[in-house]
Amino acid sequence: MDFLTARDEVDDRRLVLAGISQAGYWVPRALAFEHRIAAAVADPGVVDVAESWWRNLGPELRELWDSGDRETFDRIMNEALEGDPALGAMWRWRAKPYGVASPFALLTEVAAYTVAHLTDRITTPLLVTDPEGEHFWPGASRRLYDALPGSKELVGFPAAEGAHLHCEPMGRALFEQRVFDWLDARLASGPPA
């Protein structure tokens, strides 16, 4: 952050960190270690990144992964991915940032991306969005919000307002209005002491 705060045009008392989709994990994680941010937004809140993977794989595969049987898990997963080209393409696209080929190793890596043990370190005011119909991390926004010890706000986006679903795709104007109103209120008097 020093590269930002050293710049004359940057007001280091008004720095904001915002993230959408999986960045709803990265923002809280960063806040656990970086306390110079004045306010932040997680859209949606993400506690465990792996939840979005396991929701689509089912309990049997989760049980097999939990057993530690890497060879069987990889064989079953690779057969499924080869048998369904669309699924295989999606898997490879989601796996690419991790740089891990083995499905077992990939899910082991993804499982490490959790803020459950870090929330008590987050002191920055945090706005957590909670869109109705969130399909990647349902319920995670509320769990993150409930775990935060400091200044926080949970903002729902219901279907009745047309701003529901993951990252509010049809309601970005409403999303931006609420986020910027919240930020204006937090930053108007400067950062917390």
Side-chain angles (χ1 to χ4, degrees), residues 34-148:
E34 176 55 71
H35 300 287
R36 294 176 289 176
I37 303 293
V41 179
D43 175 35
V46 178
V47 177
D48 295 301
V49 172
E51 288 177 357
S52 68
W53 293 75
W54 287 118
R55 288 189 75 245
N56 298 310
L57 295 176
E60 295 84 10
L61 282 172
R62 176 64 189 259
E63 189 175 311
L64 179 58
W65 179 80
D66 285 339
S67 78
D69 185 350
R70 177 181 179 148
E71 184 178 321
T72 303
F73 186 87
D74 280 350
R75 180 179 48 75
I76 291 170
M77 284 296 300
N78 286 327
E79 287 172 3
L81 297 173
E82 289 171 18
D84 185 339
L87 177 64
M90 176 60 79
W91 180 273
R92 287 186 299 279
W93 180 78
R94 288 190 74 196
K96 188 174 183 176
Y98 299 96
V100 179
S102 155
F104 185 92
L106 172 63
L107 288 165
T108 301
E109 177 69 21
V110 174
Y113 291 75
T114 178
V115 295
H117 61 291
L118 299 172
T119 54
D120 62 330
R121 300 177 63 164
I122 299 171
T123 58
T124 302
L126 181 58
L127 173 72
V128 181
T129 69
D130 190 17
E132 184 179 338
E134 169 61 43
H135 59 281
F136 288 106
W137 293 282
S141 291
R142 169 56 77 175
R143 288 195 319 278
L144 176 62
Y145 174 83
D146 288 345
L148 294 170

